[in-house]
Amino acid sequence: MSDAPSIVLERLAVTFTHEGRRIPAVRDVSFAVAPGETFGIVGESGSGKSTVLKAIAGLVAPTGGRVSIGGRVMAPRRERADRRHLQYVFQDPYGSLHPRQTVDRALREPLEIHRLPDRETRILSALADVGLEARHRFRYPHQLSGGQRQRVAIARALILSPGALLLDEPTSALDVSVQAEILNLISRLRREHALTTIFVTHDLAVVAHLCERIAIMRLGEIVEILTVEELRHNAARQPYGRELIAASRGFTRDARALASEPSDDE
């Protein structure tokens, strides 16, 4: 288990260039996530929420501002140790796994890259941690259900004992009943591993179920940051935040339903 780090963004900006045009994807984004906190980022498609997450992970380079992890300002090119302690789970569990690699190989590769010992023990422990059995170990992605593939992706992220987990809509490609299982799995793992977690989603039911605070994004900027209680009571201060919550009425009921629904993920 790693010590959970803080994550701090100060006036983060990300600009992309397309056909000679500069497109600002993220502008002047600042927030701080406390060690062990679960922080949500919500917004419509194209609001910049996934770009923020990728900038934190070092997958895209900021064009302004800075990202600090555990009190250290991150360089544009991350060190191996920085990448080990900050792990990313992608939206599409099939696309994020190599189709010609078994589950065993997917879990073994990061251990080899980071030169960690006791690989056999770590692989078996990671599988058990996410609710998979030994029979899944030598299967290929196409031989697994969507929920099982996402469990493998989560196991791959956790096998390096990171301090922080970045989740980019990890349940949006799954059936509703399987979403419930994966959300409950993430909730349990973040507690057991004392993880600092940032969860990006467009679904207010998810953040109401998992997060302590939520940043609402629009057009590359943060509109406001709410506690989960303010979200549940529709206590947004800005008109856009109130509109977004009103458009998603029923999310608290849906969140409770998600937490209690059984799964067919076998």
Side-chain angles (χ1 to χ4, degrees):
M1 182 183 296
S2 298
D3 291 334
S6 59
I7 299 175
V8 179
L9 275 61
E10 299 174 83
R11 307 200 70 177
L12 179 75
V14 178
T15 300
F16 297 120
T17 301
H18 177 68
E19 296 180 349
R21 295 174 54 238
R22 290 173 58 81
I23 302 169
V26 172
R27 295 177 288 185
D28 200 27
V29 165
S30 299
F31 61 77
V33 182
E37 181 180 9
T38 299
F39 187 82
I41 306 176
V42 300
E44 300 170 281
S45 296
S47 62
K49 56 189 186 296
S50 291
T51 302
V52 168
L53 203 67
K54 289 174 181 175
I56 295 170
L59 299 177
V60 300
T63 50
R66 63 184 187 178
V67 176
S68 300
I69 311 292
R72 292 179 53 241
V73 177
M74 295 291 101
R77 184 176 179 83
R78 301 289 173 88
E79 301 292 332
R80 181 182 296 176
D82 294 328
R83 293 189 179 278
R84 173 184 170 183
H85 292 299
L86 189 73
Q87 288 292 301
Y88 199 106
V89 177
F90 292 89
Q91 177 179 359
D92 180 5
Y94 192 78
S96 67
L97 298 174
H98 196 298
R100 296 185 181 179
Q101 285 187 353
T102 63
V103 171
D104 179 82
R105 185 59 194 158
L107 298 180
R108 188 176 299 275
E109 187 173 46
L111 297 175
E112 292 174 349
I113 290 171
H114 292 273
R115 301 169 187 164
L116 296 181
D118 304 320
R119 292 168 190 169
E120 188 77 7
T121 300
R122 287 175 185 265
I123 289 169
L124 292 174
S125 177
L127 287 172
D129 221 11
V130 298
L132 292 175
E133 301 174 8
R135 63 191 173 92
H136 297 110
R137 181 175 174 183
F138 295 101
R139 292 183 181 177
Y140 291 89
H142 73 273
Q143 296 173 310
L144 302 173
S145 69
Q148 289 168 346
R149 287 194 290 265
Q150 196 61 293
R151 288 173 188 270
V152 173
I154 293 168
R156 181 178 59 184
L158 291 179
I159 203 166
L160 295 176
S161 300
L165 198 61
L166 307 178
L167 300 130
D168 192 358
E169 304 211 46
T171 62
S172 63
L174 305 176
D175 291 339
V176 172
S177 61
V178 180
Q179 286 181 24
E181 290 294 314
I182 298 300
L183 289 174
N184 288 329
L185 172 66
I186 291 168
S187 183
R188 174 176 64 80
L189 291 173
R190 68 183 176 86
R191 290 194 307 270
E192 292 179 355
H193 294 267
L195 294 165
T196 302
T197 310
I198 300 181
F199 202 112
V200 161
T201 182
H202 64 279
D203 189 342
L204 291 179
V206 170
V207 294
H209 180 50
L210 284 180
C211 301
E212 296 153 77
R213 291 187 303 137
I214 303 97
I216 297 175
M217 288 195 67
R218 181 172 185 259
L219 300 176
E221 299 179 331
I222 288 183
V223 175
E224 62 181 311
I225 296 176
L226 304 172
T227 66
V228 70
E229 287 304 314
E230 289 172 327
L231 178 66
R232 286 173 175 157
H233 291 93
N234 197 2
R237 293 170 289 278
Q238 300 299 321
Y240 179 76
R242 291 195 294 269
E243 291 170 7
L244 187 68
I245 294 171
S248 303
R249 287 199 181 278
F251 67 89
T252 50
R253 174 182 57 78
D254 292 343
R256 288 193 293 269
L258 278 175
S260 62
E261 286 178 4
S263 173
D264 297 324
D265 181 23
E266 298 295 339

